[in-house]
């Protein structure tokens, strides 16, 4: 699923992916071969190396509590959560939404 989503992004916007050391990206070599996106891993017990990830996880927990079985959610439900998060202003983006910043980035590489 991650490969499919990554292929939808403009190549200029997705050159690398930084991941924590969870099992979710154990097959990272296949991901890199399929997408031409390099994968880097954070050092163990170093959450400051992935601040945006930690913040996003905190926001996701408002919709999906830790330990919840994601297979009980439809793709439509998960997409609705993603849309809500992407339309939520963020202080780190000077109170723009991630969707607005993404649109600006795509327009700038046009």
């Amino acid at each position: 699923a991650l490969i499919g989503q990554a292929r939808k992004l403009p190549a200029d916007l997705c050159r690398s992916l930084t991941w924590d050391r969870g099992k979710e990206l154990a097959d990272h070599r296949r991901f890199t071969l399929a997408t031409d996106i390099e994968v880097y891993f954070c050092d163990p017990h170093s959450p400051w190396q992935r601040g945006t990830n930690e913040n996003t996880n905190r926001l996701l927990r408002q919709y999906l509590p830790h330990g919840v079985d994601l297979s009980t959610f439809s793709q439509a439900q998960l997409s609705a959560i993603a849309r809500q998060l992407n339309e939520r202003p963020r202080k780190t983006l000077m109170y723009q939404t991630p969707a607005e910043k993404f649109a600006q980035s795509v327009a700038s590489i046009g």
Side-chain angles (χ1 to χ4, degrees), residues 1-14 31 34-35 37 75 79 102 106 109:
L2 186 59
I3 290 169
Q5 292 300 315
R7 286 182 173 159
K8 293 178 184 179
L9 297 171
D12 286 345
L13 290 183
C14 195
F31 173 82
T35 62
I37 297 171
Q75 183 58 58
S79 294
F102 182 78
V106 170
I109 63 168

Side-chain angles (χ1 to χ4, degrees), residues 6-7 9-10 23-24 38 42 44 52 56-57 62 66 72 75-78 86 90 95-96 98-99 103-104 106 109:
R7 286 182 173 159
L9 297 171
K23 64 182 177 180
E24 299 87 359
E38 289 292 328
C42 296
T52 300
T56 303
N57 284 347
Q62 295 173 3
H66 187 73
T72 64
Q75 183 58 58
Q77 290 171 309
L78 295 173
N86 285 325
R90 307 279 177 89
Y95 297 100
Q96 288 185 298
Q104 287 174 359
V106 170
I109 63 168

Side-chain angles (χ1 to χ4, degrees), residues 3 25-39 41:
I3 290 169
L25 210 54
D27 201 9
H28 63 90
R29 287 182 185 89
R30 184 170 71 89
F31 173 82
T32 296
L33 288 172
T35 62
D36 208 24
I37 297 171
E38 289 292 328
V39 176
F41 292 92

Side-chain angles (χ1 to χ4, degrees), residues 9-22:
L9 297 171
D12 286 345
L13 290 183
C14 195
R15 296 184 190 144
S16 68
L17 174 66
T18 303
W19 207 263
D20 64 12
R21 295 192 166 285

Side-chain angles (χ1 to χ4, degrees), residues 53-68 70 73 77-78 80-82 84-90:
N53 171 261
E54 291 296 318
N55 185 49
T56 303
N57 284 347
R58 183 181 56 80
L59 296 174
L60 275 170
R61 297 288 172 236
Q62 295 173 3
Y63 301 92
L64 306 167
H66 187 73
V68 71
L70 294 180
F73 292 85
Q77 290 171 309
L78 295 173
I81 292 168
Q84 287 177 338
L85 289 173
N86 285 325
E87 294 173 353
R88 184 175 178 166
R90 307 279 177 89

